[in-house]
């Protein structure tokens, strides 16, 4: 099976490194994505995932890129699959199409409505939560199913306890592992893992990490995900002023140190949000490699 590599690494206790991309909107964007993929091949990630939009042509682009990752780059793809705007039959059909091109790994999500989808309501009796996608994928015989987790709680959840209860439902329905929302404070991640374990979530919880490479990015991350940014990092970035190279240097040094701390303290791997660029991840990997946290064979 194509996703054996993910499970094998997880169960052998080897760190699972993975990269996340989004479907490009233009031919130029697609060329940049393909260039990034090519440069990341030597790092032999356990899998490469591609996000799935709430509607429109980007959805078809996701399918095209997911299939291409396997066929053209020999990497293990994982398709994000959201239930927003889909019926159960459509989700089953997408899974069938993915299976036809050899893809059996799904990141099961609810998704967020975009401007086109407006105030989204599920069709009567239709899928409403990621849990419904997990169940559909499992019933359809999908080999590997991952789900999202939120160390700083999902923005709509009243509290972390409630959100964790729903995470457990997804895992109990058959999710093999969890990928987290991005965060910058590792203590928040380890506390999340502790509380998840306390209520019986036993599957691996892979931290999702975003390298900061531009000024202003961090404020955007905070607005989008509600993640707390450590004061120390904010101060260091502010001190860079207009010096873009220095911002990048600080952002990548922070990211490398954050990843090393995560791995040292027992995180099962790192899922990188790449923003379709390879340079930042390659820089961080070079540090992890030099510190003995990674080699291409994972031995
Ligand atoms: P769910 O697990 O369904 O949770 C959504 C909300 O409902 C939460 O507040 C939860 O507490 C609550 N909830 C869950 N189950 C129940 C229930 N039974 N009853 C009542 N409340 C419930 N978005 C995209 O559109 N495309 C992507 O490709 C994408 N990729 C992502 C990748 C990662 C690693 C992460 C962390 C997020 C990604 N997202 C993506 C964003 C995600 O879709 C949004 O955060 C979305 O708002 C929630 O999705 P979910 O799968 O976590 O939903």
């Amino acid at each position: 099976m194509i996703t054996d590599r993910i499970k094998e690494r997880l169960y052998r206790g080897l760190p699972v490194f993975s990269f996340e991309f989004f479907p490009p909107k233009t031919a130029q964007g697609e060329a940049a994505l393909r260039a990034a993929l090519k440069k990341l091949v030597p790092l032999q990630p356990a899998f490469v995932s591609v996000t799935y939009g709430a509607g429109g042509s980007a959805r078809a682009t996701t399918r095209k890129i997911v299939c291409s990752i396997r066929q053209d780059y020999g990497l293990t793809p994982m398709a994000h699959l959201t239930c927003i705007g889909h019926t159960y039959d459509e989700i089953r059909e997408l899974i069938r199409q993915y299976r036809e091109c050899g893809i059996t790994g799904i990141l099961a999500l609810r998704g967020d409505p975009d401007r086109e989808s407006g105030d989204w309501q599920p069709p009567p009796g239709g899928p409403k939560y990621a849990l419904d996608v997990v169940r559909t994928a499992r019933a359809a015989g999908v080999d590997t199913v991952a789900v999202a987790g939120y160390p700083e709680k999902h923005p709509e959840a009243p509290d972390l306890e409630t959100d964790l209860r729903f995470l457990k439902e997804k895992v109990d329905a058959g999710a093999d592992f969890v990928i987290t929302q991005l965060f910058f404070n590792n203590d928040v991640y380890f506390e999340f893992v502790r509380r998840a374990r306390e209520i019986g979530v036993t599957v691996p919880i892979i931290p999702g990490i975003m390298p900061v490479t531009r000024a202003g990015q961090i404020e955007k991350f905070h607005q989008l995900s509600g993640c707390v940014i450590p004061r120390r990092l904010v101060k260091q970035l502010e001190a860079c002023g207009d010096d873009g190279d220095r911002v990048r240097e600080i952002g990548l040094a922070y990211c490398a140190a954050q990843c090393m701390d995560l791995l040292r303290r027992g995180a099962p791997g790192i899922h990188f949000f790449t923003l379709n660029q390879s340079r930042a991840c390659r820089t961080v990997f070079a540090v992890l490699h030099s510190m003995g946290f990674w080699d291409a064979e994972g031995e």
Side-chain angles (χ1 to χ4, degrees), residues 71-296:
Q71 285 155 6
D72 301 334
Y73 303 89
L75 295 170
T76 299
M78 175 162 285
H80 294 212
L81 186 46
T82 59
C83 63
I84 285 214
H86 277 313
T87 62
Y88 279 112
D89 279 346
E90 286 167 353
I91 291 175
R92 280 190 282 267
E93 173 56 18
L94 281 167
I95 290 171
R96 192 194 61 75
Q97 287 173 13
Y98 278 132
R99 182 171 294 128
E100 236 173 44
C101 58
I103 285 118
T104 60
I106 297 286
L107 175 52
L109 299 147
R110 183 196 69 180
D112 285 317
D114 62 5
R115 270 190 231 118
E116 285 169 48
S117 331
D119 192 14
W120 173 78
Q121 287 297 324
K128 192 172 176 189
Y129 295 109
L131 173 67
D132 302 319
V133 185
V134 175
R135 287 185 176 144
T136 310
R138 275 290 168 232
V142 170
D143 181 53
T144 302
V145 181
V147 291
Y150 301 82
E152 292 170 89
K153 90 170 181 65
H154 184 264
E156 291 163 32
D159 48 54
L160 186 59
E161 190 183 342
T162 311
D163 207 23
L164 275 166
R165 223 176 44 238
F166 292 129
L167 176 68
K168 183 165 187 307
E169 271 189 12
K170 294 191 282 192
V171 172
D172 289 348
D176 294 297
F177 60 93
V178 178
I179 304 176
T180 76
Q181 181 58 285
L182 63 91
F183 60 89
F184 292 93
N185 180 342
N186 289 352
D187 289 343
V188 167
Y189 163 82
F190 286 109
E191 176 60 9
F192 175 70
V193 173
R194 188 191 67 75
R195 290 184 63 174
R197 300 289 180 246
E198 213 169 61
I199 60 162
V201 175
T202 55
V203 296
I205 300 178
I206 303 178
I209 296 296
M210 176 95 79
V212 175
T213 54
R214 287 196 315 275
Q217 226 175 7
I218 207 147
E219 185 50 38
K220 202 167 157 203
F221 297 160
H222 171 71
Q223 280 166 11
L224 285 175
S225 72
C227 65
V228 172
I229 319 289
R231 264 200 75 64
R232 180 168 57 93
L233 178 59
V234 174
K235 275 183 147 179
Q236 282 177 325
L237 290 170
E238 279 173 359
C240 298
D242 292 336
D243 186 344
D245 289 345
R246 184 78 187 128
V247 168
R248 190 183 171 80
E249 213 173 283
I250 298 282
L252 295 188
Y254 188 90
C255 184
Q258 187 182 8
C259 292
M260 281 193 286
D261 182 61
L262 283 165
L263 295 168
R264 235 180 238 133
R265 291 164 71 185
I270 309 282
H271 180 74
F272 287 99
F273 300 106
T274 67
L275 297 179
N276 289 8
Q277 305 289 322
S278 72
R279 213 172 109 205
C281 291
R282 285 186 292 128
T283 305
V284 172
F285 257 67
V287 178
L288 295 180
H289 181 52
S290 68
M291 300 301 284
F293 284 103
W294 167 83
D295 69 60

